[in-house]
Amino acid sequence: MQKYISQQNLNTLLDTLIKQGTRVVAPRMNSGTPLYEPLLSSAEMVSDQLPRRSAKEAFFPVCEDIMSYTKEGQQVNLKDIDPATFPETVLVGVRPCDAAAIPVLDAVFSWDYKDEFFLERRRKTTIIGLACTTADDACFCTAVGLSPADTKGSDLFLTPLEGGGYLCDTCSDKGEALINGSEGLFAEATQAKTVTLAVPQTEAFDLKKVKSWLDEHFEDPLWDGVAVRCVGCGACAFVCPACHCFDIVDEGAEKSGKRRKNWDACGFWKFTHHASGHNPRDLQPKRYRNRIMHKFKYYDDKFGQTLCTGCGRCVRICPVGIDIAAIVEEINKKCLSRRIWPNVS
Ligand code: SF4
Ligand code: SF4
Protein backbone atom coordinates (compact mmCIF):
# COMPACT_ATOMS: atom_id res chain seq x y z
CA MET A 1 0.00 0.00 0.00
CA GLN A 2 1.36 3.42 -0.95
CA LYS A 3 0.55 6.72 0.77
CA TYR A 4 1.79 10.28 0.62
CA ILE A 5 3.12 12.36 3.52
CA SER A 6 4.29 15.97 3.29
CA GLN A 7 7.48 17.08 5.04
CA GLN A 8 5.38 19.21 7.38
CA ASN A 9 3.17 16.27 8.33
CA LEU A 10 6.21 14.04 8.86
CA ASN A 11 7.56 16.67 11.26
CA THR A 12 4.18 16.82 13.01
CA LEU A 13 4.16 13.03 13.33
CA LEU A 14 7.64 12.95 14.89
CA ASP A 15 6.93 15.87 17.25
CA THR A 16 3.66 14.28 18.37
CA LEU A 17 5.41 10.97 19.07
CA ILE A 18 8.15 12.75 21.06
CA LYS A 19 5.50 14.63 23.06
CA GLN A 20 3.72 11.33 23.80
CA GLY A 21 6.94 9.88 25.26
CA THR A 22 8.01 7.71 22.32
CA ARG A 23 11.76 7.62 21.77
CA VAL A 24 12.30 8.93 18.23
CA VAL A 25 15.76 8.09 16.88
CA ALA A 26 16.99 9.62 13.62
CA PRO A 27 20.13 10.97 11.99
CA ARG A 28 21.08 14.23 13.77
CA MET A 29 24.25 16.29 13.96
CA ASN A 30 26.43 15.74 17.00
CA SER A 31 29.49 18.05 17.04
CA GLY A 32 29.48 18.13 13.25
CA THR A 33 29.03 14.37 12.81
CA PRO A 34 25.74 12.80 11.68
CA LEU A 35 24.72 10.00 14.06
CA TYR A 36 21.52 8.07 14.78
CA GLU A 37 20.45 9.56 18.11
CA PRO A 38 17.22 10.35 20.01
CA LEU A 39 15.61 13.59 18.82
CA LEU A 40 14.30 16.35 21.05
CA SER A 41 12.39 17.76 18.07
CA SER A 42 11.85 16.91 14.39
CA ALA A 43 13.90 20.02 13.49
CA GLU A 44 17.04 18.13 14.57
CA MET A 45 16.67 15.42 11.93
CA VAL A 46 19.07 15.55 8.98
CA SER A 47 18.02 13.53 5.96
CA ASP A 48 20.79 14.28 3.47
CA GLN A 49 23.75 12.57 5.14
CA LEU A 50 24.59 8.95 5.91
CA PRO A 51 25.23 8.70 9.66
CA ARG A 52 28.84 7.85 10.50
CA ARG A 53 27.79 4.85 12.59
CA SER A 54 24.93 2.49 11.85
CA ALA A 55 21.36 2.18 13.12
CA LYS A 56 22.12 -1.09 14.99
CA GLU A 57 22.84 1.01 18.09
CA ALA A 58 19.11 1.52 18.56
CA PHE A 59 18.91 -2.22 19.37
CA PHE A 60 22.45 -3.08 20.38
CA PRO A 61 24.14 -0.17 22.19
CA VAL A 62 27.94 0.19 22.28
CA CYS A 63 27.80 -0.52 26.00
CA GLU A 64 24.88 -1.47 28.22
CA ASP A 65 24.33 -2.69 31.75
CA ILE A 66 22.67 -6.09 32.03
CA MET A 67 22.90 -6.57 35.80
CA SER A 68 24.16 -4.85 38.95
CA TYR A 69 25.16 -6.13 42.38
CA THR A 70 25.63 -4.80 45.90
CA LYS A 71 27.09 -6.59 48.90
CA GLU A 72 26.09 -5.96 52.50
CA GLY A 73 27.97 -8.16 54.94
CA GLN A 74 27.59 -11.71 53.62
CA GLN A 75 24.45 -10.76 51.64
CA VAL A 76 24.90 -10.30 47.88
CA ASN A 77 22.01 -8.57 46.11
CA LEU A 78 21.67 -9.04 42.35
CA LYS A 79 19.48 -6.77 40.26
CA ASP A 80 18.68 -7.62 36.66
CA ILE A 81 18.01 -4.88 34.13
CA ASP A 82 14.47 -5.56 32.93
CA PRO A 83 14.14 -5.24 29.12
CA ALA A 84 10.39 -4.62 29.66
CA THR A 85 11.37 -1.10 30.75
CA PHE A 86 12.82 -0.24 27.31
CA PRO A 87 10.81 2.53 25.62
CA GLU A 88 8.63 2.32 22.53
CA THR A 89 10.80 3.65 19.70
CA VAL A 90 10.39 4.97 16.19
CA LEU A 91 13.62 4.80 14.20
CA VAL A 92 13.29 7.16 11.25
CA GLY A 93 15.40 8.18 8.25
CA VAL A 94 17.09 4.78 8.20
CA ARG A 95 19.15 4.12 5.07
CA PRO A 96 18.32 0.88 3.19
CA CYS A 97 21.78 -0.56 3.95
CA ASP A 98 21.15 -0.03 7.68
CA ALA A 99 17.54 -1.25 7.71
CA ALA A 100 18.45 -4.38 5.72
CA ALA A 101 21.04 -5.36 8.33
CA ILE A 102 18.49 -5.49 11.16
CA PRO A 103 16.62 -8.66 10.05
CA VAL A 104 20.04 -10.18 9.36
CA LEU A 105 20.93 -9.53 13.02
CA ASP A 106 17.60 -11.05 14.15
CA ALA A 107 18.97 -14.44 13.12
CA VAL A 108 21.94 -14.41 15.48
CA PHE A 109 20.20 -12.70 18.41
CA SER A 110 17.29 -15.18 18.35
CA TRP A 111 19.33 -18.31 17.63
CA ASP A 112 20.05 -20.81 20.44
CA TYR A 113 20.19 -18.08 23.09
CA LYS A 114 17.41 -15.48 22.86
CA ASP A 115 18.97 -12.10 23.57
CA GLU A 116 16.05 -10.27 25.19
CA PHE A 117 17.98 -6.98 25.27
CA PHE A 118 18.09 -6.97 21.47
CA LEU A 119 14.74 -8.68 20.89
CA GLU A 120 12.67 -6.50 23.22
CA ARG A 121 14.00 -3.39 21.52
CA ARG A 122 13.16 -4.98 18.15
CA ARG A 123 9.59 -5.69 19.28
CA LYS A 124 9.18 -2.11 20.48
CA THR A 125 10.69 -0.37 17.46
CA THR A 126 9.05 0.76 14.24
CA ILE A 127 11.53 1.44 11.44
CA ILE A 128 10.91 4.14 8.84
CA GLY A 129 13.39 3.71 6.00
CA LEU A 130 14.46 6.46 3.60
CA ALA A 131 15.62 5.98 -0.01
CA CYS A 132 19.10 7.25 -0.87
CA THR A 133 19.43 10.05 -3.40
CA THR A 134 23.22 10.17 -3.34
CA ALA A 135 25.98 7.55 -3.21
CA ASP A 136 29.74 7.92 -2.92
CA ASP A 137 32.60 5.75 -4.21
CA ALA A 138 32.44 3.56 -1.10
CA CYS A 139 28.74 2.59 -1.45
CA PHE A 140 28.18 -0.89 -2.91
CA CYS A 141 24.71 -2.02 -1.78
CA THR A 142 23.83 -3.03 -5.34
CA ALA A 143 26.84 -5.40 -5.39
CA VAL A 144 25.37 -7.45 -2.52
CA GLY A 145 21.81 -7.65 -3.88
CA LEU A 146 20.29 -4.54 -2.27
CA SER A 147 19.50 -1.11 -3.68
CA PRO A 148 19.06 2.57 -2.67
CA ALA A 149 15.30 1.91 -2.61
CA ASP A 150 15.33 -1.49 -0.89
CA THR A 151 12.58 -1.82 1.70
CA LYS A 152 14.10 -4.85 3.51
CA GLY A 153 13.94 -4.29 7.27
CA SER A 154 11.67 -1.22 7.06
CA ASP A 155 8.12 -1.05 8.43
CA LEU A 156 7.42 2.09 6.42
CA PHE A 157 9.62 3.30 3.57
CA LEU A 158 9.86 6.89 2.35
CA THR A 159 10.93 7.92 -1.14
CA PRO A 160 11.39 11.69 -1.67
CA LEU A 161 9.17 13.26 -4.34
CA GLU A 162 10.04 16.04 -6.74
CA GLY A 163 8.42 19.14 -5.28
CA GLY A 164 8.65 17.87 -1.70
CA GLY A 165 7.06 15.26 0.53
CA TYR A 166 7.41 11.51 0.32
CA LEU A 167 5.84 8.47 -1.23
CA CYS A 168 5.34 6.08 1.69
CA ASP A 169 5.33 2.28 1.23
CA THR A 170 3.79 0.18 3.98
CA CYS A 171 5.98 -2.87 4.51
CA SER A 172 4.60 -4.47 7.71
CA ASP A 173 1.75 -4.50 10.23
CA LYS A 174 3.80 -2.21 12.48
CA GLY A 175 4.03 0.31 9.67
CA GLU A 176 0.31 0.08 9.00
CA ALA A 177 -0.43 0.60 12.70
CA LEU A 178 1.67 3.77 12.71
CA ILE A 179 -0.26 5.13 9.72
CA ASN A 180 -3.61 4.19 11.30
CA GLY A 181 -2.63 5.97 14.51
CA SER A 182 -1.67 9.17 12.67
CA GLU A 183 -5.03 10.41 11.53
CA GLY A 184 -4.94 13.05 8.80
CA LEU A 185 -1.17 13.02 8.33
CA PHE A 186 -1.01 10.49 5.48
CA ALA A 187 -2.96 10.98 2.25
CA GLU A 188 -3.61 8.89 -0.84
CA ALA A 189 -0.46 8.37 -2.92
CA THR A 190 0.26 11.25 -5.30
CA GLN A 191 1.13 11.06 -8.97
CA ALA A 192 4.23 13.22 -8.38
CA LYS A 193 7.53 11.79 -9.62
CA THR A 194 10.06 10.50 -7.12
CA VAL A 195 13.43 12.21 -7.19
CA THR A 196 16.31 10.47 -8.96
CA LEU A 197 17.81 7.87 -6.64
CA ALA A 198 21.46 7.06 -6.08
CA VAL A 199 23.35 4.69 -8.38
CA PRO A 200 26.28 2.93 -6.66
CA GLN A 201 28.97 2.04 -9.20
CA THR A 202 30.29 -1.35 -8.04
CA GLU A 203 29.13 -4.24 -10.22
CA ALA A 204 27.09 -7.00 -8.58
CA PHE A 205 29.10 -9.77 -6.90
CA ASP A 206 28.22 -13.38 -7.51
CA LEU A 207 27.89 -14.13 -3.78
CA LYS A 208 27.56 -17.88 -4.39
CA LYS A 209 30.82 -17.86 -6.33
CA VAL A 210 32.53 -15.79 -3.65
CA LYS A 211 31.36 -18.23 -0.99
CA SER A 212 32.51 -21.27 -2.97
CA TRP A 213 35.96 -19.70 -3.29
CA LEU A 214 36.05 -19.00 0.46
CA ASP A 215 34.95 -22.61 1.15
CA GLU A 216 38.17 -23.78 -0.52
CA HIS A 217 40.65 -21.05 0.47
CA PHE A 218 41.01 -20.84 4.23
CA GLU A 219 44.75 -20.82 3.49
CA ASP A 220 45.61 -18.49 0.65
CA PRO A 221 48.27 -15.84 -0.09
CA LEU A 222 45.41 -13.35 -0.55
CA TRP A 223 45.02 -12.99 3.22
CA ASP A 224 48.59 -11.85 3.81
CA GLY A 225 48.29 -9.49 0.87
CA VAL A 226 45.08 -7.74 1.89
CA ALA A 227 45.70 -7.62 5.63
CA VAL A 228 49.34 -6.61 5.74
CA ARG A 229 48.33 -3.01 6.43
CA CYS A 230 45.55 -3.75 8.95
CA VAL A 231 46.40 -2.21 12.32
CA GLY A 232 43.60 -4.03 14.17
CA CYS A 233 41.85 -0.84 15.28
CA GLY A 234 38.38 -2.42 15.03
CA ALA A 235 36.85 0.70 13.49
CA CYS A 236 35.44 -1.34 10.59
CA ALA A 237 33.44 -3.52 13.00
CA PHE A 238 32.24 -0.63 15.13
CA VAL A 239 30.72 1.31 12.21
CA CYS A 240 29.27 -1.80 10.55
CA PRO A 241 25.47 -2.27 10.64
CA ALA A 242 25.90 -6.06 10.66
CA CYS A 243 28.88 -6.77 12.97
CA HIS A 244 27.56 -7.92 16.32
CA CYS A 245 30.35 -9.33 18.50
CA PHE A 246 30.28 -8.33 22.14
CA ASP A 247 32.01 -9.16 25.38
CA ILE A 248 30.54 -9.43 28.89
CA VAL A 249 32.60 -7.75 31.59
CA ASP A 250 32.11 -7.13 35.30
CA GLU A 251 33.01 -3.60 36.35
CA GLY A 252 33.05 -2.58 39.98
CA ALA A 253 34.50 -3.39 43.35
CA GLU A 254 33.76 -5.64 46.34
CA LYS A 255 30.68 -3.74 47.55
CA SER A 256 28.99 -2.87 44.26
CA GLY A 257 29.36 -3.14 40.53
CA LYS A 258 27.76 -3.84 37.18
CA ARG A 259 27.83 -6.54 34.56
CA ARG A 260 28.08 -4.95 31.13
CA LYS A 261 27.75 -5.95 27.53
CA ASN A 262 30.35 -4.10 25.38
CA TRP A 263 30.99 -4.22 21.65
CA ASP A 264 34.01 -6.27 20.60
CA ALA A 265 35.72 -6.83 17.24
CA CYS A 266 37.46 -9.80 15.63
CA GLY A 267 40.16 -7.39 14.42
CA PHE A 268 41.41 -6.98 18.00
CA TRP A 269 44.36 -9.26 18.89
CA LYS A 270 42.79 -10.10 22.26
CA PHE A 271 39.53 -11.25 20.70
CA THR A 272 40.68 -14.88 20.55
CA HIS A 273 43.43 -14.69 23.16
CA HIS A 274 43.08 -17.72 25.46
CA ALA A 275 43.79 -17.65 29.18
CA SER A 276 46.64 -20.07 28.46
CA GLY A 277 48.36 -17.40 26.40
CA HIS A 278 47.69 -19.21 23.12
CA ASN A 279 46.01 -17.20 20.37
CA PRO A 280 44.70 -19.16 17.37
CA ARG A 281 44.49 -15.88 15.42
CA ASP A 282 47.92 -14.69 16.40
CA LEU A 283 48.56 -12.53 13.33
CA GLN A 284 46.49 -9.77 11.74
CA PRO A 285 45.95 -11.57 8.39
CA LYS A 286 44.21 -14.39 10.30
CA ARG A 287 41.96 -11.83 11.99
CA TYR A 288 41.14 -10.05 8.75
CA ARG A 289 40.49 -13.41 7.06
CA ASN A 290 37.94 -14.09 9.79
CA ARG A 291 36.19 -10.80 9.03
CA ILE A 292 35.73 -11.75 5.37
CA MET A 293 34.93 -15.40 6.16
CA HIS A 294 32.32 -14.44 8.74
CA LYS A 295 30.56 -12.02 6.41
CA PHE A 296 30.59 -14.03 3.20
CA LYS A 297 30.85 -17.67 4.32
CA TYR A 298 30.24 -18.54 8.00
CA TYR A 299 27.06 -16.47 8.43
CA ASP A 300 25.76 -17.89 5.16
CA ASP A 301 26.62 -21.44 6.34
CA LYS A 302 24.75 -20.86 9.60
CA PHE A 303 21.86 -18.56 8.65
CA GLY A 304 21.74 -18.47 4.83
CA GLN A 305 22.48 -14.75 4.71
CA THR A 306 25.40 -12.45 3.89
CA LEU A 307 26.65 -10.31 6.75
CA CYS A 308 27.34 -7.22 4.64
CA THR A 309 24.86 -4.75 3.18
CA GLY A 310 27.38 -2.71 1.20
CA CYS A 311 27.05 0.48 3.25
CA GLY A 312 30.71 1.28 2.63
CA ARG A 313 31.31 2.61 6.15
CA CYS A 314 34.28 0.32 6.80
CA VAL A 315 35.84 1.49 3.54
CA ARG A 316 35.42 5.17 4.49
CA ILE A 317 36.71 4.80 8.02
CA CYS A 318 39.66 2.42 7.66
CA PRO A 319 42.79 4.40 8.56
CA VAL A 320 44.92 2.40 6.13
CA GLY A 321 42.48 2.32 3.22
CA ILE A 322 41.46 -1.34 3.24
CA ASP A 323 38.47 -1.74 0.93
CA ILE A 324 36.29 -4.78 1.58
CA ALA A 325 34.41 -4.27 -1.69
CA ALA A 326 37.65 -4.39 -3.66
CA ILE A 327 38.70 -7.57 -1.85
CA VAL A 328 35.40 -9.31 -2.55
CA GLU A 329 35.55 -7.98 -6.08
CA GLU A 330 38.99 -9.54 -6.40
CA ILE A 331 37.69 -12.85 -5.12
CA ASN A 332 34.75 -12.50 -7.48
CA LYS A 333 36.87 -11.78 -10.50
CA LYS A 334 39.90 -13.80 -9.42
CA CYS A 335 42.23 -11.12 -10.63
CA LEU A 336 44.05 -8.26 -8.99
CA SER A 337 42.05 -5.06 -8.74
CA ARG A 338 43.66 -1.65 -8.50
CA ARG A 339 40.90 -0.62 -6.04
CA ILE A 340 42.36 -2.66 -3.16
CA TRP A 341 43.99 0.28 -1.40
CA PRO A 342 42.48 3.30 -3.13
CA ASN A 343 43.46 5.82 -0.46
CA VAL A 344 47.08 4.82 -0.09
CA SER A 345 49.76 5.84 -2.58
S1 SF4 B 1 31.29 -4.93 6.07
FE1 SF4 B 1 31.65 -2.75 5.62
S2 SF4 B 1 30.40 -2.34 3.78
FE2 SF4 B 1 29.68 -4.30 4.64
S3 SF4 B 1 27.93 -3.71 5.96
FE3 SF4 B 1 29.79 -3.76 7.27
S4 SF4 B 1 30.58 -1.65 7.27
FE4 SF4 B 1 29.10 -1.82 5.58
S1 SF4 C 1 39.40 -0.35 10.07
FE1 SF4 C 1 41.06 -1.05 8.71
S2 SF4 C 1 42.91 -1.08 10.02
FE2 SF4 C 1 41.12 -0.99 11.41
S3 SF4 C 1 40.70 -3.18 11.88
FE3 SF4 C 1 39.39 -2.62 10.13
S4 SF4 C 1 40.60 -3.22 8.31
FE4 SF4 C 1 42.04 -3.17 10.07
Side-chain angles (χ1 to χ4, degrees), residues 140 236 239-242 291 295 307-314 324:
F140 64 99
C236 49
V239 296
C240 179
R291 179 169 174 76
K295 291 193 171 294
L307 197 57
C308 171
T309 60
C311 73
R313 284 191 180 89
C314 58
I324 195 170

Side-chain angles (χ1 to χ4, degrees), residues 31-42:
S31 306
T33 303
L35 295 171
Y36 288 103
E37 289 184 339
L39 301 182
L40 295 176
S41 132
S42 64

Side-chain angles (χ1 to χ4, degrees), residues 229-237 267 284 288 291 314 317-322:
R229 290 165 193 256
C230 177
V231 294
C233 66
C236 49
Q284 207 58 34
Y288 196 79
R291 179 169 174 76
C314 58
I317 205 156
C318 179
V320 294
I322 293 178

